Amino acid sequence: MAIVAMILGAVLVLLVLWEGFETIILPRRVTRRFRITRVFYRSSWRPWTWLIHNFVPPRRRETWLSYFGPLSLLLLLSLWAAVLITGFAFIHWGGSWLFYSDGGTALISDLYLSGTTFFTLGIGDVVPKTSLGRLLVVVESGMGFAFLALVISYLPALNQSFARREVSISLLDARAGSPPTASEMLRRHSHHGGAESLRELLHEWERWSAEFLEGHLSYPVLAYFRSQHDNQSWLAALTSILDTCALIMAGVEGTCNRQAELTFAMSRHAVVDLALVFRTQPRQLPADRLPSAKLDEICDILRESGYKLKERGVLEQNLAELRLMYEPYVYALSRHFKVGLPPWVARENGIDNWQASFWKPPAKRHKAAEEVEERHF
């Protein structure tokens, strides 16, 4: 029994050390199917969303969903610490290397010593009585210091990556609406010099997609961190960029077609790889995001804005082929993360987040928004 306990304890310690290495230190996607972190998030995210859907009012659901990312990270780190402490306690108990002031040999005392050693409290009422026991205490104490150092370095890296992601999403507010839409993005860049501004914007999002892919492959937990506004999200922003690039490539002539192709390729790469990380199999949408009537509306908006379009049938066919390359993946991700996909056309009388104000009545807010829009767009 003692040998089994020691082997079990060693396995638990090694398992958590390897899991921590893959999650915090290893800067690439882990292809191994079984991982404690993956099991933890799958077994906690689904009950969390079920509870929110059934017991939280619709207006408060987005707020409660936003708590999951930070809370799950703290719980995961606590789980690792608990498993490490338990693993070392099993090794102590199996080896009987400790001296108990009360003369007992209970496992609870081994857990107590392991906990005080891991968190470097050093109370001293339970002490090792053999050289191997002393060595194990020193190893666990050093591991506790290392664990604390990793946590201290891990959290700022996550916050910095999250902040970089959200800056570009916030910048879309005035450039593409809230939530961002492809037709609005093109309409707001139809002014003199707008083609060059649009090319620069798509170039920035090509780089953003690459940084997003690298950051979220290294730290998948970031995908659960939600944006500040309910009508903004990394998935909606990325989908609107893909929509815009697909629309340009399909039939908008005389714009930044080459840059649209590059941004489309990088953005689709990010979507597909993230779907693989979270095991979200691509799904066909239950309803068409862009029915024929909406496409006609987009064509009218673009022609009124001065864009030259290809023949209607060619544009529709090209756009349908491009949409099949990414829509099943973004829909699967939206189902998993409980995030809505953006529309293709902005809603009527919609206002951007920067135009809204908590202190203005809705009627006055809409009127002010229209005046601001006339001046700027």
Side-chain angles (χ1 to χ4, degrees):
M1 188 65 182
I3 295 177
V4 173
M6 293 177 67
I7 293 175
L8 177 60
V11 168
L12 290 176
V13 171
L14 292 175
L15 187 63
V16 172
L17 290 179
W18 186 249
E19 189 73 21
F21 169 77
E22 289 181 336
T23 303
I24 298 178
I25 301 175
L26 185 64
R28 62 170 294 163
R29 180 175 64 88
V30 179
T31 57
R32 181 164 50 86
R33 293 189 64 86
F34 177 77
R35 294 185 61 201
I36 295 177
T37 304
R38 183 177 293 127
V39 172
F40 170 78
Y41 275 99
R42 282 192 174 274
S43 59
S44 57
W45 173 244
R46 291 174 181 174
W48 182 268
T49 56
W50 182 87
L51 288 171
I52 290 174
H53 180 75
N54 287 278
F55 297 103
V56 176
R59 290 181 58 187
R60 301 290 299 169
R61 285 175 186 169
E62 189 65 23
T63 300
W64 281 89
L65 287 171
S66 68
Y67 294 154
F68 178 81
L71 282 176
S72 65
L73 179 60
L74 295 177
L75 288 174
L76 179 63
L77 296 174
S78 301
L79 175 64
W80 286 350
V83 174
L84 283 174
I85 290 171
T86 303
F88 278 107
F90 277 133
I91 298 175
H92 283 301
W93 183 74
S96 299
W97 293 325
L98 306 180
F99 174 77
Y100 306 91
S101 58
D102 58 359
T105 58
L107 179 61
I108 191 69
S109 297
D110 295 281
L111 284 169
Y112 168 73
L113 172 75
S114 182
T116 57
T117 302
F118 186 81
F119 293 111
T120 64
L121 296 176
I123 296 177
D125 51 344
V126 179
V127 296
K129 61 183 179 181
T130 65
S131 298
L132 287 175
R134 296 186 187 99
L135 176 62
L136 191 63
V137 167
V138 172
V139 170
E140 185 177 4
S141 179
M143 197 170 295
F145 271 118
F147 183 81
L148 180 61
L150 283 176
V151 170
I152 292 174
S153 61
Y154 183 54
L155 294 180
L158 282 179
N159 289 330
Q160 290 172 10
S161 185
F162 173 76
R164 286 195 301 269
R165 186 190 80 182
E166 292 301 307
V167 165
S168 295
I169 294 174
S170 297
L171 287 173
L172 278 183
D173 187 30
R175 296 168 181 255
S178 305
T181 60
S183 60
E184 194 68 10
M185 190 178 303
L186 289 172
R187 186 184 73 82
R188 297 188 185 192
H189 289 84
S190 61
H191 55 81
H192 178 69
E196 180 60 24
S197 298
L198 182 60
R199 189 198 67 79
E200 292 177 2
L201 176 65
L202 295 181
H203 176 69
E204 291 171 2
W205 274 86
E206 179 190 4
R207 179 171 293 276
W208 181 93
S209 299
E211 292 179 351
F212 171 86
L213 176 61
E214 178 61 29
H216 287 62
L217 289 184
S218 300
Y219 309 117
V221 65
L222 276 175
Y224 292 99
F225 281 63
R226 302 172 94 85
S227 299
Q228 300 289 346
H229 296 280
D230 292 352
N231 56 4
Q232 290 180 340
S233 70
W234 60 265
L235 184 58
L238 193 55
T239 304
S240 68
I241 292 296
L242 284 165
D243 290 342
T244 303
C245 294
L247 194 55
I248 293 173
M249 295 161 61
V252 180
E253 298 179 348
T255 52
C256 45
N257 293 74
R258 179 53 183 162
Q259 184 58 59
E261 293 173 359
L262 296 173
T263 305
F264 182 88
M266 189 65 248
S267 301
R268 183 186 182 274
H269 186 187
V271 166
V272 172
D273 275 20
L274 206 63
L276 181 60
V277 168
F278 289 97
R279 298 286 193 268
T280 55
Q281 186 176 356
R283 295 170 173 263
Q284 293 299 324
L285 279 72
D288 192 357
R289 287 182 63 230
L290 186 59
S292 182
K294 280 294 180 184
L295 182 57
D296 290 336
E297 185 178 349
I298 291 176
C299 291
D300 292 339
I301 292 173
L302 295 183
R303 288 194 183 97
E304 291 174 4
S305 300
Y307 288 100
K308 185 179 179 181
L309 305 180
K310 290 183 180 179
E311 192 269 326
R312 173 69 165 71
V314 175
L315 187 151
E316 185 173 12
Q317 181 179 354
N318 293 342
L319 189 57
E321 293 174 357
L322 291 169
R323 288 168 57 201
L324 280 176
M325 297 178 65
Y326 67 90
E327 279 193 341
Y329 295 94
V330 296
Y331 176 62
L333 288 170
S334 72
R335 282 173 53 91
H336 177 74
F337 291 106
K338 309 302 178 186
V339 174
L341 295 180
W344 280 83
V345 180
R347 68 182 186 276
E348 250 186 272
N349 298 324
I351 62 173
D352 300 341
N353 291 332
W354 69 270
Q355 295 172 322
S357 173
F358 176 79
W359 289 276
K360 289 183 179 179
K364 293 182 179 180
R365 196 160 60 232
H366 283 290
K367 184 178 179 181
E370 292 173 358
E371 293 176 356
V372 173
E373 187 171 9
E374 288 177 359
R375 290 198 303 269
H376 289 275
F377 305 112

